[in-house]
Amino acid sequence: MAKDISRWFSSIGGVVAVLMPKGLCPICIAASGGMLASFGLGFLLVERNVRWLLGLTLAIGLTGFILSARRHRRWWTLAVGVTAAVTTMLGRLLLSNLVLYSGMVLLIGAMGADLWARRHPWMPLVQIRLRRGA
């Protein structure tokens, strides 16, 4: 059960983090506001709430990247995930759409690389086993 949860942990946090800034797009604010209010999530339209929730979902995604990198031993996916999370949060705090969307694209790439690393585990070409005491 715990293995299944950790398997999708990074993906869930990453997807929610990528979708969160879309609720504040000036073009679709009315549609997003109506949809969020119908689900009882109208508080997401307040800027300071979105900032904290974005940070929380990025932290959940990074926790998933850490667990996944420990399992498949490809630490570069964690490095890309951390870079993407920092870039996304920095773009949100600086109100720079270019930085924000670059971070989101990088976050999607990190999720894809992490899923690829899970499907293609690293295997050593040669395994050397030594007996103890021999």
Side-chain angles (χ1 to χ4, degrees):
M1 177 72 176
K3 187 176 182 181
D4 292 335
I5 291 172
S6 68
R7 171 182 278 176
W8 298 106
F9 208 50
S10 63
S11 299
I12 290 170
V15 167
V16 173
V18 167
L19 293 178
M20 184 147 318
K22 298 297 182 194
L24 295 176
C25 172
I27 296 171
C28 55
I29 189 103
S32 297
M35 183 186 69
L36 291 173
S38 69
F39 289 129
L41 300 172
F43 68 94
L44 290 176
L45 293 175
V46 179
E47 169 65 26
R48 66 174 186 251
N49 293 342
V50 171
R51 187 178 306 140
W52 289 106
L53 288 172
L54 179 62
L56 178 69
T57 56
L58 286 172
I60 290 170
L62 286 178
T63 303
F65 278 123
I66 291 168
L67 294 173
S68 182
R70 285 181 58 200
R71 187 177 335 113
H72 58 63
R73 302 277 187 236
R74 291 197 176 138
W75 297 100
W76 63 270
T77 58
L78 175 62
V80 173
V82 168
T83 304
V86 168
T87 304
T88 303
M89 195 64 188
L90 194 65
R92 186 74 196 148
L93 293 175
L94 297 176
L95 300 175
S96 171
N97 286 337
L98 179 64
V99 176
L100 176 70
Y101 292 132
S102 298
M104 289 191 310
V105 167
L106 197 58
L107 190 61
I108 291 171
M111 287 187 301
D114 186 47
L115 288 172
W116 179 83
R118 283 188 209 156
R119 302 244 187 242
H120 300 91
W122 181 78
M123 301 290 280
L125 294 176
V126 177
Q127 292 184 356
I128 300 173
R129 298 177 189 223
L130 301 174
R131 281 197 240 160
R132 289 189 161 221

